Amino acid sequence: MNLLFLSFAFPLAGFVFLAFMRGRIRETPAALVGVGSIGLSALVIAWAGYQFLTTVPAAGAYTEGLWPWIRVGNFDVPFALHLDALSLLMCGVITGVGFLIHLFASWYMRGEEGYARFFSYMNLFVASMLFLVLADNLLFLYFGWEGVGLCSYLLIGFYYKDPANGSAARKAFIVTRVGDTLMAIGLFVIFRDLGTLDIQSVLKLAPTSWGAGSATVTLVAFLLLGGAVGKSAQLPLQTWLPDAMAGPTPVSALIHAATMVTAGVYLIARTHTLFELAPEALQAVGIVGAATLLLAGFSALAQTDIKRVLAYSTMSQIGYMFLALGVGAWSGAVFHLMTHAFFKALLFLASGSVIIACHHEQDMFKMGGLRKKLPLTFWSFIIGGAALAAIPPTAGFFSKDGILRLAWASGEHGLWVCGALGAFLTSVYTFRMIFITFFGDYRGHAEVHRPRGLAHNLPLVGLIVASAIGGFWALHLMVLPPAPTGEPPAAVEFAPLLLALAGLALAWRLFLLQPQAIRRFANAGFADLLRRWWLAAFGFDWLYGRLLVRPFYWITRLNARDVIDWIVTGIPVSSLQFGNGVLARSESGRLRWYAASVALGAVAILAAVLYS
């Protein structure tokens, strides 16, 4: 395990090489470096995981100090790695799923301008994500946290010549900075009171230094929650994620489905002790998750862009993870994080296959009838969609069903109702997407091009297998406290499954058997108003635009001529001009005035001496 540092050293080396060789290297060598570095990282994690599981006692951890980082007085922060069951699972998801996405991207991005630049950004992202999950202290974690934010900006705006893409990248960067600022303030409070940012030391000192329910620990928990909702696109900082689909589809699969958006879930799970000491903050986590999963579920029902449907489904599934965290089902949240990485990466990559086959068309209503033209992509959607909708025996069924069962066992029946309703909505919008895209008649204008190649097929097949049987790999994370216990009634146990099947049946009837009828209904009267409201994701962009964006633009227009600079520089300038004018008048060349001023000065000096 002393080679653990190589897990991020390989991606960093790939980033440096591709960044400096950009424009002077062909696509094939760039792909070999970009994909190969992640493959080597995955092998290092697999070897470290094998050693960890065979040599470290249960509930144990391995810590490796690399080198000193900051030493100022009693503030000592090293570059140190901490490997336990939680970070091992996260590393496996990041490098395993990340490798398959990189391999798919080597096919997807062929012929694109900036091929090597793309892989340099992707390698840097993986390295930053590994920093985040392997960090032994909160400052190192924050270093990786900001690294993935930077890479998100670079990758969303990869097609920087399109102003819309640049706007989406800036939006993601600015909105997530709001949460990052709150998190940074939380770290300041932790160090002020506990004198350390070492994660394990913080978790040990917090119960004795603050005590359960204290104002300080509640403040810290809410500040960390602020950082989590920003990175994980939860209410009220969720607006950046749908627009982030402007980036290439492999970016959506890696950053905005499998890894970065789960960083908030990891942060709360890692600092679970602080949230257990702050019941109000813990309850807020569950409420935020429940509200987000419903908002995103209704919004997904009205989308026409295939990637935006998947974007809102990501928000919804992260909401399930927050709901699980809010009821104390820590392991359940992390288990769903793992299965979600499998099936959501599969769905995003399959959507990329559809987009390429349809000549970069993303409107589902300009597709249709693709199941025979794209059989592997079709089955990718079927397996991935079934896992997303929690249809047994797919991975999503085990993890989502576990969350809802634990929510009921915890006594949070209101959150259970929200989760069950979300299961119904998820099934409806998932199979709506599948039926519109793959069934009926083809509605496009260009001939469908069937994707081929090992780099296209292998990632899809690997993720199909993981999405189908990944639920049998449930890991009970011994580093986290046990989940609520208790068996719910049979009606509660089977209700989510029945609702998911009901959603499938409803989608079959509305979008396959009677598509014209539902289209007429959705475009008339109150239904049309509701559809447009859901299409706009409940109007949060409109609201923030009027409350925050427009006032900011008004201030910038007001200050277009640098009013503040004029005031600041005007004070000394006017003073100098006034003084210059006074002195200029005194230099008149009249000897009588000079003699009089000398006499007055002498009198003034004598008076000062006499009266001092």
Side-chain angles (χ1 to χ4, degrees), residues 58 69 82 89 99 107 122 159 167 172 216 241-242 307 311 321 323 329 390 403 437 479 491 506 529 545 547 553:
W69 183 15
H82 179 86
L89 177 65
F99 170 74
W107 167 83
M122 293 278 277
Y159 300 121
S167 176
T216 303
L241 183 59
K307 285 179 65 177
M321 299 174 206
L323 188 152
I403 288 174
T437 303
V479 295
L506 182 63
L529 178 64
L547 291 180
Y553 283 154

Side-chain angles (χ1 to χ4, degrees), residues 145-179:
W145 189 274
E146 291 300 297
V148 296
L150 170 64
C151 295
S152 176
Y153 167 78
L154 295 173
L155 287 165
I156 294 169
F158 178 76
Y159 300 121
Y160 60 90
K161 295 181 180 180
D162 186 346
N165 292 353
S167 176
R170 290 191 298 273
K171 182 179 181 180
F173 192 78
I174 293 170
V175 172
T176 54
R177 289 292 78 71
V178 175

Side-chain angles (χ1 to χ4, degrees), residues 397-438:
F397 167 75
F398 290 98
S399 57
K400 187 184 291 185
D401 181 72
I403 288 174
L404 294 177
R405 184 171 61 253
L406 293 171
W408 183 274
S410 70
E412 297 288 350
H413 297 166
L415 296 182
W416 179 90
V417 170
C418 292
L421 177 57
F424 174 75
L425 293 174
T426 302
S427 185
V428 174
Y429 71 67
T430 299
F431 288 100
R432 167 184 178 266
M433 173 181 62
I434 292 173
F435 294 147
I436 292 173
T437 303
F438 291 96

Side-chain angles (χ1 to χ4, degrees), residues 585-598:
R585 287 178 178 273
S586 68
E587 299 294 330
S588 63
R590 298 177 180 178
L591 293 176
R592 286 181 296 177
W593 283 104
Y594 292 167
S597 63
V598 170

Side-chain angles (χ1 to χ4, degrees), residues 44 68 90 108 239 245 264 295 324 379 401 451 471 485 529 544 551:
V44 170
M90 292 294 297
Y108 185 91
T239 56
M245 297 302 108
L295 179 146
W379 283 108
D401 181 72
T485 57
L529 178 64
Y544 292 163

